[in-house]
C-alpha cells in the first residue's frame, strides 16, 4: 500500500515544512528578500534561534522564507499553513473557514485569516488567454441569488429575472475561470470571452443566442442543443463545465442552508438553472 499524502513529514514537522517551502521558492539556494543577494548568506543555528532564520551579511538583515509571501507577519506554524493549503486545494467543493477551524484546531479568526491569505495567493494576475491551437474550451453559465434591491418575483422572461449571473470558461484538462456578469446578452458576455480565450481555440457551448457570433471570430465553434435533448455529439458536449457549475450550485445551496439555520426567516433567493 502506498504512503498517504497526509502522512508527508512537511504537514506535521515544522522544520520539514520550512525545508519544503524553501525548496520550492529557492531551488538554487537562499535569496535575501531585502537586497536580493544570493551569496554571503548563512543559516542561523543558535539554541534560541527560530526555525528557518537566515542572515544576509550584505545588508545585515535576518529573514525567513516567509518574507514576501502570504505567510509573512504570521505566528501560525508553517506546517499548519501547508495543512490548510492542502485542504483547500484538495476539497473539490471548497472548504469554509469554519471547517478549517474545526479540522486544524485553530481559532476561527486564525482560520479566516489563513483562508483569505491562501485564496489571495491563488488569484491569477496577468493571465494568458485560455486554449491554444485546437484546444477545447467549454463555455456555460448559471444564475445565483437575487440581486440586492431587486423584487422577489420574476417577469415573463423566466426564472433568471433579477438574478446574479456567473459565466464560466474551462479548458478540457486544464484551468477554469468564472466571472460575475451583469446579464446574458452578447454585449455582456462576448467581451469576457474575447479577453480570456485564444482565437485558435475550439469553443463548445450550448445554443444560447449570445454565443452565435463566436464562430466568426474563433477557429471553430460547435454547440449542443439542450432544447431538443441533445447533450453529447462525439467530442462536442459541455459536460465538463456543467459538472463544475453543479458543484458550485451544491456548495452555494449548502451555504444558503447554513444561513437559513441561523436566521429563521426564509431567504428570498434560490439557485437557478444553467444558461
Amino acid at each position: 500500500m502506498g504512503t498517504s499524502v497526509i502522512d508527508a513529514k512537511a504537514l506535521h514537522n515544522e522544520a520539514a515544512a520550512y525545508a519544503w517551502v524553501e525548496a520550492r521558492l529557492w531551488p538554487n539556494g537562499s535569496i535575501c528578500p531585502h537586497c536580493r543577494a544570493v551569496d554571503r548568506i548563512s543559516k542561523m543555528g543558535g539554541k534560541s534561534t527560530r526555525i528557518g532564520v537566515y542572515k544576509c551579511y550584505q545588508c545585515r538583515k535576518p529573514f525567513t522564507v516567509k518574507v514576501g509571501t502570504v505567510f509573512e507577519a504570521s505566528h501560525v506554524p508553517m506546517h499548519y499553513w501547508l495543512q490548510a493549503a492542502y485542504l483547500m486545494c484538495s476539497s473539490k467543493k471548497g472548504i469554509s473557514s469554519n471547517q478549517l477551524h474545526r479540522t486544524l484546531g485553530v481559532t476561527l479568526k486564525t482560520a479566516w485569516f489563513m483562508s483569505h491569505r491562501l485564496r489571495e495567493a491563488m488569484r491569477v494576475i496577468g493571465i494568458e488567454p485560455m486554449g491554444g491551437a485546437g484546444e477545447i474550451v467549454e463555455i456555460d453559465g448559471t444564475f445565483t441569488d437575487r440581486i440586492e434591491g431587486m423584487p422577489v418575483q420574476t417577469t415573463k422572461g423566466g426564472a433568471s429575472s433579477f438574478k446574479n449571473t456567473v459565466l464560466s470558461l474551462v479548458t478540457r484538462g486544464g484551468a477554469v475561470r468564472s466571472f460575475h456578469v451583469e446579464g446574458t446578452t452578447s454585449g455582456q458576455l462576448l467581451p469576457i470571452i474575447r479577453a480570456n480565450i485564444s482565437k485558435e481555440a475550439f469553443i463548445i457551448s450550448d445554443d444560447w443566442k449570445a454565443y452565435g457570433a463566436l464562430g466568426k471570430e474563433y477557429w471553430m465553434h460547435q454547440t449542443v442543443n439542450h432544447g431538443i435533448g441533445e447533450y453529447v455529439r462525439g467530442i462536442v458536449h459541455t459536460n465538463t463545465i456543467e459538472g463544475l457549475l453543479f458543484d458550485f450550485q451544491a456548495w452555494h445551496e449548502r451555504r444558503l442552508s447554513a444561513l437559513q439555520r441561523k436566521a429563521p426567516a426564509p431567504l428570498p433567493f434560490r439557485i437557478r438553472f444553467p444558461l
Side-chain angles (χ1 to χ4, degrees), residues 6-216:
I6 59 177
D7 288 333
K9 194 173 181 180
L11 296 179
H12 304 282
N13 179 275
E14 190 70 354
Y18 270 90
W20 189 90
V21 176
E22 289 171 4
R24 280 144 188 83
L25 292 185
W26 301 332
N28 299 315
S30 56
I31 302 172
C32 175
H34 306 295
C35 68
R36 310 308 299 172
V38 295
D39 53 5
R40 297 186 63 198
I41 295 173
S42 65
K43 190 170 186 177
M44 302 177 71
K47 291 184 179 179
S48 61
T49 303
R50 291 176 290 120
I51 294 174
V53 177
Y54 291 78
K55 185 169 183 178
C56 174
Y57 287 93
Q58 293 198 39
C59 66
R60 314 294 295 182
K61 293 180 180 179
F63 63 91
T64 70
V65 74
K66 286 184 174 183
V67 177
T69 72
V70 294
F71 310 131
E72 187 175 3
S74 163
H75 295 292
V76 179
M78 180 66 83
H79 68 280
Y80 276 22
W81 277 108
L82 298 186
Q83 288 180 27
Y86 172 77
L87 290 170
M88 291 177 67
C89 292
S90 62
S91 299
K92 186 177 179 182
K93 298 180 181 178
I95 186 168
S96 68
S97 297
N98 265 304
Q99 185 62 45
L100 284 178
H101 151 63
R102 291 190 293 268
T103 303
L104 300 181
V106 297
T107 65
L108 179 57
K109 184 177 179 180
T110 297
W112 184 92
F113 169 78
M114 295 171 73
S115 63
H116 275 256
R117 282 208 170 186
L118 289 171
R119 288 190 179 98
E120 177 64 20
M122 294 174 187
R123 186 164 62 91
V124 182
I125 302 174
I127 49 181
E128 295 294 324
M130 301 175 71
E135 289 188 350
I136 296 175
V137 179
E138 297 179 25
I139 302 175
D140 204 358
T142 191
F143 301 108
T144 62
D145 44 296
R146 179 171 56 91
I147 299 172
E148 186 176 354
M150 298 299 286
V152 177
Q153 71 273 14
T154 61
T155 65
K156 291 184 179 180
S160 64
S161 303
F162 312 132
K163 301 295 177 178
N164 285 294
T165 307
V166 176
L167 175 69
S168 290
L169 321 171
V170 63
T171 303
R172 283 194 190 167
V176 60
R177 300 178 192 173
S178 296
F179 306 87
H180 175 261
V181 292
E182 296 300 321
T184 60
T185 67
S186 58
Q188 293 162 323
L189 300 181
L190 293 186
I192 295 174
I193 294 172
R194 292 181 184 123
N196 287 275
I197 300 180
S198 168
K199 295 296 183 183
E200 292 76 33
F202 177 8
I203 295 180
I204 300 176
S205 70
D206 57 23
D207 60 340
W208 180 245
K209 58 186 178 181
Y211 304 139
L214 294 177
K216 300 176 182 179

Side-chain angles (χ1 to χ4, degrees), residues 244-264:
L244 290 167
L245 290 174
F246 178 83
D247 287 341
F248 166 75
Q249 290 172 330
W251 168 82
H252 204 63
E253 286 283 3
R254 292 198 305 274
R255 186 176 72 89
L256 298 186
S257 297
L259 291 173
Q260 286 172 327
R261 286 196 297 271
K262 294 178 181 177

Side-chain angles (χ1 to χ4, degrees), residues 215-253:
K216 300 176 182 179
E217 300 183 34
Y218 288 85
W219 177 66
M220 186 178 293
H221 176 217
Q222 294 286 317
T223 64
V224 286
N225 190 344
H226 293 168
I228 61 172
E230 180 187 46
Y231 295 94
V232 180
R233 191 175 67 253
I235 63 170
V236 179
H237 63 78
T238 55
N239 294 345
T240 308
I241 191 64
E242 287 174 8
L244 290 167
L245 290 174
F246 178 83
D247 287 341
F248 166 75
Q249 290 172 330
W251 168 82
H252 204 63
E253 286 283 3

